[in-house]
Amino acid sequence: MVIGAAVVLFIASFLSLFSYDCSGGIDCSRLNSPNAWDSLGILMSIFLAGIIGAALVIVGRLTPGRKVVGFDLGQFGAAFTVFALWTAFWTIIDVSDAGAGLILGLLASIVLAAGTIAGPLVPALKAPIVGAPKPPQAVQPPYGGQPGQGYGYPGAQQQPYGAQPSQGYGYPGGQQGQPGQADPAQAQAAQAQQSAPQGGAAPAGDFTPFWFAVPVARPLYGEDGAPNPIAELAPGTWYLAVEQRGQGLIAQTQDGRRGVLQDTTGIQRG
């Protein structure tokens, strides 16, 4: 919305600022109708001010947190667009015969100022611009886990999918183990998994539920095999694996929904 209004404002700067009444035998073909580039004051206060404001708003969205003399770039951009709208409004009122350049410039300034002001207020306009960096999300420990232990905590060695921890952490269906001792249920599951054929699914009776997190956002498909995903697993959130199905996992989200996670590469066990 902001980018489109800035493009229209740039095009309007090349159109005529004034219109002439060619009735009464006046030859309008000999009249030289000026545009914004022939008037430095109008060019800088309306057209370039709006374009500069739009550029500052876009840069502020791409690099959040960057400030100039204590003010956010988006705030500077919004101020420029409001100033451009203010000047365009009073300029077109003062001119008796406004041309296409002033009229289109006023309309573009209205859309530009509305977009920059409504951006932080309307949820639909808060979506990040493509390519904007996402803030890092902290990985929360699973229920019952202690910081500094297990998988995915600072200072702890991460193990690949299928490996069993050397300490029990109270997974569903298992017993709490002592430090330095492996959980018997998990040891049996690991032994059964190693004895299973390569690429085959582990028997349902030997599967121990566990908590896991995904490295990147991944779709969760329905257990009925429908092609459309029913949910999306987000990084930084722990989910419960309740069953193994082929190369995938039956995962349960925090709101109780269950589905098939087909891509289990690089998941982080809790």
Side-chain angles (χ1 to χ4, degrees):
M1 180 178 179
V2 173
I3 296 175
V7 172
V8 174
L9 196 62
F10 178 74
I11 296 175
S13 66
F14 294 96
L15 303 179
S16 60
L17 296 176
F18 311 105
S19 63
Y20 300 96
D21 185 8
C22 297
S23 60
I26 300 177
D27 187 7
C28 293
S29 61
R30 296 184 179 183
L31 296 178
N32 184 17
S33 179
N35 56 29
W37 295 92
D38 297 323
S39 177
L40 182 61
I42 295 179
L43 175 67
M44 297 301 297
S45 59
I46 299 178
F47 298 92
L48 289 187
I51 295 174
I52 293 173
L56 290 176
V57 170
I58 295 171
V59 173
R61 292 288 295 274
L62 291 174
T63 57
R66 178 171 294 184
K67 296 184 178 181
V68 177
V69 295
F71 294 95
D72 188 84
L73 285 180
Q75 296 175 345
F76 265 109
F80 268 96
T81 58
V82 172
F83 172 75
L85 173 59
W86 176 265
T87 308
F89 175 75
W90 291 110
T91 301
I92 202 171
I93 288 181
D94 186 56
V95 175
S96 58
D97 296 321
L102 281 179
I103 296 175
L104 192 60
L106 176 63
L107 297 178
S109 299
I110 294 174
V111 176
L112 189 59
T116 55
I117 295 175
L121 303 177
V122 180
L125 300 179
K126 292 182 180 180
I129 300 177
V130 176
K134 297 182 178 180
Q137 298 180 350
V139 177
Q140 300 295 331
Y143 178 75
Q146 299 295 330
Q149 299 179 354
Y151 293 81
Y153 300 113
Q157 182 179 3
Q158 296 186 4
Q159 301 188 18
Y161 169 66
Q164 301 298 326
S166 60
Q167 300 180 7
Y169 288 94
Y171 299 124
Q175 297 179 354
Q176 189 81 8
Q178 299 295 330
Q181 297 179 359
D183 192 335
Q186 295 173 5
Q188 294 177 5
Q191 184 177 3
Q193 184 177 2
Q194 292 176 359
S195 61
Q198 183 69 22
D206 293 335
F207 181 82
T208 302
F210 60 89
W211 295 92
F212 72 94
V214 292
V216 295
R218 288 179 180 172
L220 188 69
Y221 296 92
E223 297 186 64
D224 56 356
N228 297 327
I230 62 173
E232 184 179 68
L233 304 187
T237 304
W238 292 96
Y239 303 95
L240 181 63
V242 297
E243 184 182 340
Q244 185 171 355
R245 179 172 296 181
Q247 298 297 327
L249 292 172
I250 302 296
Q252 180 173 327
T253 62
Q254 295 178 347
D255 56 4
R257 289 181 293 175
R258 289 177 41 152
V260 180
L261 176 64
Q262 298 179 354
D263 187 3
T264 59
T265 57
I267 65 172
Q268 179 180 336
R269 294 185 56 152

